[in-house]
Amino acid sequence: FQNLLAAPMSQHTIFYHYAATIVPFIFLASLESISFWKKRFKYKIFLPIIISAIIISSLVRVFNYTADWKAKISRWNDRLNPIRWAMIDQIPKNASIITNFNLLSQLSQRKNLYALYNVWIDLNGFTGEKKFIVPNHVDHALVDFGDPWMIGGMDANPQKTSQKLKELFIDHDWRVQQAVEEMVFLTKNTTTGIKLLEIQPQPFPKTPNENDISVDQTFDLQAVTINHNLSSNGQLLPITFYWKANEEIKNQYALNLGIRKNNDWVYTHSRTIGYTIYPTSVWKKGDYIKEYYAYYLPVLEPGEYSIDISIMNRTAKQPANLTLNRTGKESGGKTISIATFTISP
């Protein structure tokens, strides 16, 4: 009855593992039903009826859940899977670690393992205890910023989600040990590594950059620094972005970065500016934000390449207007080239 009368779909269907306890009863009830109807029909009539009923009901369920299966299967070939396992292998066996919901199973044999989604909901989902406090001994974090739970939390309540993640990762000294796009491995209270995100009321010392770009006249991409030694083998392209909030924005923006060769795109990637730790919708007027992001490039052939960006207003669902501050020329939402590089044979 707990399963059959539960409000959540995950409890009263057998598609999810939550209803595993009811499966034996369904199996026994099916056998009893077949036995019941078998006594009321002749064998020659009963057999085709029961086979047809099984086939039809199976097909109905297959069509019902095809979209869910396809969505799950599409993630099996995620190109970041080897990266995830490589990061997991770096974590000491006795380490205390906090991680996303979608990485808990890979780390389930760890003694001190904590679910990151408890942080932004500020609740222990298993005990119902409020508020959720991350133990002081947790000193490793494996974060997938592409986790649908995290993105859903940011979209539903960006202020609370950002506040809780900032309290964890910004207010304490967490440093990046390895970052590959949305996958980031951090450790706390260490002298090695760099900060993933920094926020301060004054400008950061930065490398001079001509690409001072205004976004919808509300915030600026003041500069970018690119640290790379690209070769035709393909590798990471780490970029540090320097932002300034000219006013409170309220909207969430995504940065689209692409790499072109002879006007053909060889790589494109879209991501939330500020991760989910400090998205643009919670920026305050006068904030200076410095964020590190490492793009995972495919193998590139020798030649000249251009790094282009465009910015999307996710809230308004439209491209942002970009203006080069040094010229005052508006791009009308089109891409702007921020750098070029050459790969030698």
Side-chain angles (χ1 to χ4, degrees), residues 14 51 65 104 119 122 138 145 193 198 208 219 251 254 269 273 305:
I14 58 172
I51 292 175
Y65 290 108
L104 288 175
V119 171
D122 202 20
V138 174
F145 287 99
E198 297 178 67
F219 66 100
N251 293 337
H269 184 71
I273 297 174
Y305 293 84

Side-chain angles (χ1 to χ4, degrees), residues 227-285:
N227 305 309
H228 66 281
N229 183 21
L230 288 171
S231 68
S232 57
N233 296 324
Q235 61 178 55
L236 292 181
L237 178 66
I239 301 181
T240 302
F241 296 88
Y242 297 86
W243 306 93
K244 179 192 176 185
N246 298 318
E247 57 184 76
E248 292 189 5
I249 301 167
K250 303 301 183 185
N251 293 337
Q252 289 188 17
Y253 284 82
L255 174 69
N256 307 313
L257 182 141
I259 295 180
R260 263 185 312 116
K261 180 185 180 185
N262 300 327
N263 293 322
D264 293 327
W265 296 105
V266 297
Y267 171 86
T268 58
H269 184 71
S270 178
R271 68 176 185 87
T272 298
I273 297 174
Y275 295 90
T276 44
I277 299 177
Y278 202 57
T280 55
S281 58
V282 300
W283 287 5
K284 296 179 176 60
K285 183 177 180 180

Side-chain angles (χ1 to χ4, degrees), residues 181-199:
E181 293 188 354
E182 269 58 46
M183 284 300 307
V184 183
F185 174 43
L186 306 106
T187 56
K188 187 172 69 173
N189 300 329
T190 180
T191 57
T192 61
I194 62 172
K195 292 186 177 181
L196 183 68
L197 190 74
E198 297 178 67
I199 308 155

Side-chain angles (χ1 to χ4, degrees), residues 75-197:
R75 295 195 289 268
W76 290 354
N77 293 324
D78 189 339
R79 64 195 181 92
L80 292 184
N81 275 338
I83 303 296
R84 292 184 179 93
W85 283 109
M87 291 183 181
I88 288 172
D89 291 340
Q90 292 183 49
I91 303 171
K93 297 299 181 183
N94 59 346
S96 297
I97 183 168
I98 190 164
T99 191
N100 296 82
F101 182 82
N102 60 340
L103 294 168
L104 288 175
S105 58
Q106 293 94 317
L107 292 160
S108 59
Q109 301 305 308
R110 305 293 180 122
K111 182 178 180 180
N112 295 306
L113 177 64
Y114 299 87
L116 184 59
Y117 68 87
N118 287 336
V119 171
W120 69 78
I121 65 174
D122 202 20
L123 168 73
N124 189 319
F126 294 100
T127 66
E129 182 182 0
K130 295 184 178 183
K131 77 180 197 176
F132 182 77
I133 299 175
V134 179
N136 289 329
H137 60 76
V138 174
D139 54 4
H140 289 70
L142 184 61
V143 186
D144 181 358
F145 287 99
D147 175 21
W149 286 60
M150 182 178 282
I151 295 172
M154 179 187 68
D155 290 340
N157 194 335
Q159 292 287 344
K160 181 180 179 181
T161 301
S162 172
Q163 177 192 347
K164 294 301 178 181
L165 291 175
K166 274 176 74 251
E167 288 174 359
L168 177 61
F169 292 119
I170 304 298
D171 294 351
H172 296 85
D173 190 16
W174 287 86
R175 293 180 178 269
V176 176
Q177 302 305 310
Q178 188 178 3
V180 181
E181 293 188 354
E182 269 58 46
M183 284 300 307
V184 183
F185 174 43
L186 306 106
T187 56
K188 187 172 69 173
N189 300 329
T190 180
T191 57
T192 61
I194 62 172
K195 292 186 177 181
L196 183 68
L197 190 74

